[in-house]
Amino acid sequence: MQELMNIFKALSEETRLRILKLLEQGELCVCDIVSALDLIQPKVSFHLAALKEAGLIKDRKQGKWTHYRIDDSDFFRRFLLLSVLERIPREAGAEDRKRLEGFLESKASRDNVVPLSDKKRCAGRCK
């Protein structure tokens, strides 16, 4: 019962739905998500932890970076996520997607040096 409650609790928060909508397109680094949502890194990490605890996302470490993706290994969670994400209007994540694309373009053009005016937003991990 607790497992089910964790899943629905994770899906009941707008920021978490925004993160899932971004991850629908594929794996992202924490800094990518921070930039797309225009939130501080600790807040994003808090929401990522809730999604991970619910078994909705997976992470992998690559050096000092942590990358997240949707965990599609469980049929129930995968079906539930597909159903939820399908109901989120495309326009709802348009601003997030636009910020993410701009961030990824500037990141790639500078050999993965992330230009942030406030390095605290990424807890010093974006160098």
Side-chain angles (χ1 to χ4, degrees), residues 17-59:
L17 292 175
R18 289 170 64 196
I19 290 170
L20 290 169
K21 196 66 177 166
L22 288 169
L23 292 175
E24 183 179 38
Q25 302 298 313
E27 183 178 83
L28 293 172
C29 173
V30 173
C31 290
D32 301 334
I33 298 167
V34 165
S35 180
L37 299 180
D38 197 26
L39 296 172
I40 61 172
Q41 183 270 329
K43 185 175 251 185
V44 170
S45 291
F46 171 81
H47 291 294
L48 287 167
L51 290 167
K52 186 177 173 188
E53 182 180 332
L56 298 171
I57 62 173
K58 288 189 214 183
D59 67 348

Side-chain angles (χ1 to χ4, degrees), residues 79-94:
F79 182 74
L80 182 62
L81 262 181
L82 285 172
S83 299
V84 168
L85 293 173
E86 177 182 273
R87 303 237 183 255
I88 298 173
R90 192 161 185 73
E91 310 82 53

Side-chain angles (χ1 to χ4, degrees), residues 3-126:
E3 180 182 358
L4 202 52
M5 288 173 36
N6 285 344
I7 293 169
F8 284 106
K9 183 177 179 182
L11 292 173
S12 69
E13 212 284 326
E14 181 182 358
T15 302
R16 294 178 197 140
L17 292 175
R18 289 170 64 196
I19 290 170
L20 290 169
K21 196 66 177 166
L22 288 169
L23 292 175
E24 183 179 38
Q25 302 298 313
E27 183 178 83
L28 293 172
C29 173
V30 173
C31 290
D32 301 334
I33 298 167
V34 165
S35 180
L37 299 180
D38 197 26
L39 296 172
I40 61 172
Q41 183 270 329
K43 185 175 251 185
V44 170
S45 291
F46 171 81
H47 291 294
L48 287 167
L51 290 167
K52 186 177 173 188
E53 182 180 332
L56 298 171
I57 62 173
K58 288 189 214 183
D59 67 348
R60 72 173 177 88
K61 304 273 190 211
Q62 184 177 1
K64 62 183 176 178
W65 306 102
T66 304
H67 298 266
Y68 289 89
R69 67 186 178 281
I70 290 177
D71 184 352
D72 60 359
S73 62
D74 179 80
F75 183 75
F76 169 72
R77 285 181 179 90
R78 182 174 53 193
F79 182 74
L80 182 62
L81 262 181
L82 285 172
S83 299
V84 168
L85 293 173
E86 177 182 273
R87 303 237 183 255
I88 298 173
R90 192 161 185 73
E91 310 82 53
E95 286 299 312
D96 294 341
R97 176 62 50 195
K98 184 177 177 181
R99 280 190 298 270
L100 176 63
E101 288 170 1
F103 180 76
L104 292 175
E105 284 175 19
S106 76
K107 188 173 159 181
S109 69
R110 295 190 179 180
D111 296 324
N112 294 329
V113 174
V114 181
L116 286 178
S117 58
D118 182 4
K119 295 278 186 187
K120 292 178 186 173
R121 289 180 56 207
C122 203
R125 293 186 201 150
C126 294

